[in-house]
Amino acid sequence: MTNSPASPRSHTLAERELRAAVRGTVLTTTDAAYDGARRIWNGAVDRRPAVLTRCADAEDAAMTVRIAREHGLPLSVRGGGHDWSGRALREGGVVLDLSELRGVTVNPSDATATAQGGVRAGDLVAGAHEHGFKPVVGTVKAVGVTGLTLGGGYGLLGGLHGLAADNLLAARVVLADGTEVTADATENPDLYWALRGGGGNFGVVTDLRYRVHPGATVLSGLLLFPLDQASSVLRGYRELIAEAPDELTVMAGFFTGPEGTPVLFLLPMWSGDPALGNDAVARLAKLGTPVFGEVNPMAYQDVLGMFDAVVVDGRHNEMRTRWLPELTDTTTELLIAAAARMTSPYSGLYLHHFHGAAARVPSADTAFALRKDHLLVEIAASWAPAGDTEADAAHGQWARQVSAELAESALSGGYPNLLGSDERERALASFGAGGAERLLEVKRRYDPDNVFSAVPALLPTPS
């Protein structure tokens, strides 16, 4: 699709046709609900699309794609709206908004769940909980499941059940020409491969079918340690995760604690037999002297609620990411120093533990290629804007500086879901040897005109 500016007449004609054709709501700048509809999680993103279509079903999505293309309008897709760089919104374009498609259907007989394209992690977890199951999702209820899955999907069940993408059994996809297809292991298998880690670059995913897992209760809790214990606690953490069984995945990181100062947190989840997990989890509390917290049996959905207060719509955000093969003494001290100089009480550093089942998937089986033990470091600058340009810029600079400091110790590439639009080379490197070329071939087949651009690195070129 051309990137040249569309004429006002094109916007008017597209709006008129969409209002006549779709069952959902069509909004433009003159509608009272427009400003609310264009707001996303990152309040720093202030783009004004020409038209927003709040889809009522998959047919609305297909119609929106066809009409946007017919009039030469740039198109973006919104699910949960939590991509920090704001790729859900295109200035002057058409937003295909799936956020009201939040239906979840669970089939206990075959341990699967079907989720519509706008489903949030909390929706899927709650639906599965009612039937005694748990799905593999991230760590925050508000995040959209579709975007999470298409990028890979780190979570607290990774050791036992892999990434969210590893549990995707099938997807219903609206392609760039407006047609609908199914992607699974037998039907459009190349597209199915690309959707599991290649991002939303190939079409609009309107429905996903997941494998879910028995048992809605886990052993978990949040342990907080003062910053002056962080060095010794993280050394113990490094030793513990190096030998952790599949059932134990332990997230770690730093945020501002109840007293207003940075603290180290450990968030373990034992998803096996509770009787066998007590000793493993108890070791974490003994790594230091926690100032808060305990670990107990609890509902899986309650664990995901622990970070609800962190993901608040409207704050300004900038995120960076690094893959670390391990926590060395050097990277440990870099992280502690970075936590000590966080510029906002809303910022944080989050270490996602990748091991076990997730690491045993062959690299070539999915577009997500990094299949060995590692830590994903999520560097999250978040702040309430002060209206002072220099002061606001300092928060993003903190995130970029931490990323640069970790670069020498990091693996090449980075998690595509968190890479910025200025990190094209890192995005390409993240797909591994041959992976980027294979993804580009799938892109040429399903979206040769680059209608969908969730991962900027994947730009098709002539064969």
Side-chain angles (χ1 to χ4, degrees):
M1 178 174 290
T2 179
N3 289 320
S4 59
S7 69
R9 176 173 170 77
S10 296
H11 295 151
T12 301
L13 291 173
E15 174 199 348
R16 185 180 304 160
E17 291 181 25
L18 285 166
R19 290 191 190 276
V22 304
R23 292 178 55 241
T25 304
V26 177
L27 299 170
T28 65
T29 56
T30 60
D31 290 299
Y34 171 83
D35 278 331
R38 72 183 182 91
R39 293 194 188 105
I40 56 176
W41 168 66
N42 188 359
V45 177
D46 185 21
R47 298 182 190 139
R48 298 183 66 83
V51 185
L52 297 100
T53 303
R54 283 180 160 170
C55 298
D57 49 34
E59 288 71 24
D60 278 3
M63 185 60 68
T64 301
V65 171
R66 288 195 288 268
I67 291 174
R69 293 211 66 190
E70 178 184 342
H71 294 285
L73 297 175
L75 181 72
S76 63
V77 181
R78 173 179 177 163
H82 282 82
D83 170 48
W84 75 267
S85 63
R87 286 172 281 215
L89 303 179
R90 294 285 289 273
E91 185 73 29
V94 175
V95 176
L96 192 161
D97 189 341
L98 301 173
S99 62
E100 295 189 352
L101 299 182
R102 296 178 66 170
V104 174
T105 304
V106 178
N107 186 347
S109 64
D110 65 357
T112 64
T114 300
Q116 291 184 298
V119 162
R120 308 294 180 90
D123 301 329
L124 183 57
V125 170
H129 180 86
E130 291 181 9
H131 298 273
F133 290 91
K134 53 185 180 292
V136 175
V137 294
T139 55
V140 177
K141 286 183 178 179
V143 169
V145 166
T146 302
L148 173 84
T149 302
L150 297 182
Y154 288 76
L156 292 165
L157 291 173
L160 193 59
H161 300 304
L163 297 169
D166 300 329
N167 290 271
L168 178 65
L169 300 172
R172 189 70 180 164
V173 187
V174 175
L175 300 178
D177 61 2
T179 60
E180 297 179 65
V181 299
T182 295
D184 60 23
T186 58
E187 193 171 353
N188 297 297
D190 54 345
L191 179 58
Y192 176 57
W193 172 85
L195 292 176
R196 290 175 295 154
N201 259 53
F202 310 95
V204 184
V205 177
T206 58
D207 292 278
L208 310 98
R209 188 163 66 90
Y210 291 98
R211 181 184 300 108
V212 293
H213 304 278
T217 300
V218 295
L219 189 61
S220 188
L222 195 64
L223 301 171
L224 304 185
F225 299 87
L227 205 60
D228 60 9
Q229 294 182 27
S231 184
S232 60
V233 171
L234 285 177
R235 282 197 297 271
Y237 170 75
R238 176 177 63 197
E239 296 172 2
L240 187 146
I241 63 172
E243 59 188 41
D246 291 359
E247 293 86 351
L248 179 63
T249 297
V250 189
M251 185 179 176
F254 301 87
F255 53 59
T256 300
E259 301 301 319
T261 58
V263 295
L264 168 69
F265 76 86
L266 299 180
L267 174 56
M269 178 181 285
W270 175 273
S271 47
D273 183 343
L276 300 177
N278 286 324
D279 289 344
V281 172
R283 283 181 57 190
L284 290 167
K286 295 176 182 177
L287 295 178
T289 305
V291 294
F292 174 83
E294 56 185 8
V295 176
N296 292 301
M298 59 194 305
Y300 175 58
Q301 62 180 353
D302 292 340
V303 179
L304 268 66
M306 290 183 181
F307 289 108
D308 282 355
V310 175
V311 185
V312 176
D313 289 356
R315 289 178 185 151
H316 288 201
N317 299 275
E318 180 167 341
M319 302 185 74
R320 299 289 158 171
T321 176
R322 288 292 174 185
W323 276 331
L324 297 181
E326 61 178 340
L327 263 185
T328 64
D329 289 344
T330 298
T331 53
T332 295
E333 296 310 316
L334 282 173
L335 290 168
I336 295 170
R341 65 173 192 272
M342 285 192 297
T343 57
S344 166
Y346 308 120
S347 296
L349 295 161
Y350 306 96
L351 281 64
H352 299 273
H353 177 203
F354 184 100
H355 76 125
R360 289 194 293 271
V361 175
S363 293
D365 281 11
T366 66
F368 187 97
L370 184 60
R371 296 296 186 164
K372 59 183 179 182
D373 288 11
H374 66 270
L375 291 166
L376 165 67
V377 182
E378 183 181 342
I379 307 160
S382 183
W383 66 97
D388 181 329
T389 303
E390 185 175 341
D392 288 346
H395 304 296
Q397 176 59 31
W398 169 80
R400 293 189 295 274
Q401 182 179 345
V402 177
S403 177
E405 290 171 348
L406 293 172
E408 186 176 344
S409 304
L411 299 167
S412 63
Y415 185 36
N417 268 357
L418 296 180
L419 292 178
S421 57
D422 60 338
E423 299 181 286
R424 181 176 187 273
E425 294 305 318
R426 287 188 64 203
L428 284 171
S430 70
F431 299 118
E437 290 81 0
R438 185 176 175 185
L439 277 171
L440 287 166
E441 183 57 41
V442 176
K443 180 72 168 173
R444 281 190 286 268
R445 178 177 176 186
Y446 290 95
D447 183 20
D449 297 326
N450 199 37
V451 174
F452 305 103
S453 54
V455 180
L458 298 178
L459 301 175
T461 55
S463 300

